[in-house]
Amino acid sequence: MIRYILLIPFALLIAIGASSLFLLIASVVDPVMAVLTGDTLLVGFWAFVDEVFSAEDPGPIVVAAFEAVGRIVFTLLVFPPLLVAVLSEVIRARSGLWYAGATGVLTAAIPWILRGSARVGSPGELHVSFVLGLTGAVAGLVYWAIAGRDSGRSPAATAPTSPGS
């Protein structure tokens, strides 16, 4: 019971933090991600500033901006490890490859699923999907290292045994 109350939420928080750190580093180090991130932040910041200064009451604009950023963060960094963790508990998966692969594939597929069009992606889009897949794989591996190895085992199977038994 402690596993479901403390260990799994703790493992998810650490996994989400690790994948966020990985995506931040990838957004700085990787040339394609750096250009994408820089352009997005620059355009987004100036559009936000223009909207705030042109509005009589900027409160709703600021709230909407925070909600949009929250939805993006939830969709890319929180939802995939959460879904894989719940699914893994149900099917009692314990493989690190499963956690890394399922979370990585789901995270990489999210932009394609949300787009909804069936077309071949450009090399830049495929590169971003690859980096998002690695981000998800980091989350899956960190979650597995903390809580996934014991997924689906009974408490008696995970209890330490004494040398005399």
Side-chain angles (χ1 to χ4, degrees):
M1 190 62 164
I2 295 284
R3 169 181 176 73
Y4 296 110
I5 296 172
L6 295 175
L7 183 62
I8 290 175
F10 174 74
L12 281 170
L13 283 174
I14 299 299
I16 292 165
S19 66
S20 301
L21 180 63
F22 177 84
L23 187 59
L24 177 69
I25 292 170
S27 295
V28 172
V29 174
D30 183 49
V32 173
M33 289 298 291
V35 169
L36 173 69
T37 304
D39 289 349
T40 303
L41 290 176
L42 184 67
V43 170
F45 173 75
W46 288 115
F48 174 73
V49 168
D50 286 345
E51 284 292 318
V52 166
F53 284 121
S54 68
E56 197 170 300
D57 181 19
I61 295 168
V62 173
V63 169
F66 277 108
E67 287 175 352
V69 169
R71 281 191 299 269
I72 292 168
V73 167
F74 179 81
T75 303
L76 291 176
L77 298 174
V78 177
F79 179 69
L82 179 64
L83 180 66
V84 170
V86 169
L87 182 64
S88 299
E89 286 296 322
V90 170
I91 65 172
R92 298 176 185 250
R94 288 191 286 255
S95 170
L97 184 62
W98 158 255
Y99 281 94
T103 311
V105 166
L106 181 59
T107 306
I110 283 175
W112 300 95
I113 294 168
L114 293 178
R115 178 180 306 140
S117 66
R119 66 171 177 83
V120 178
S122 70
E125 290 172 326
L126 296 175
H127 186 90
V128 170
S129 288
F130 179 72
V131 171
L132 288 175
L134 289 177
T135 302
V138 166
L141 281 176
V142 169
Y143 178 83
W144 171 79
I146 296 171
R149 292 178 291 158
D150 298 329
S151 176
R153 290 187 184 160
S154 66
T158 59
T161 56
S162 64
S165 60

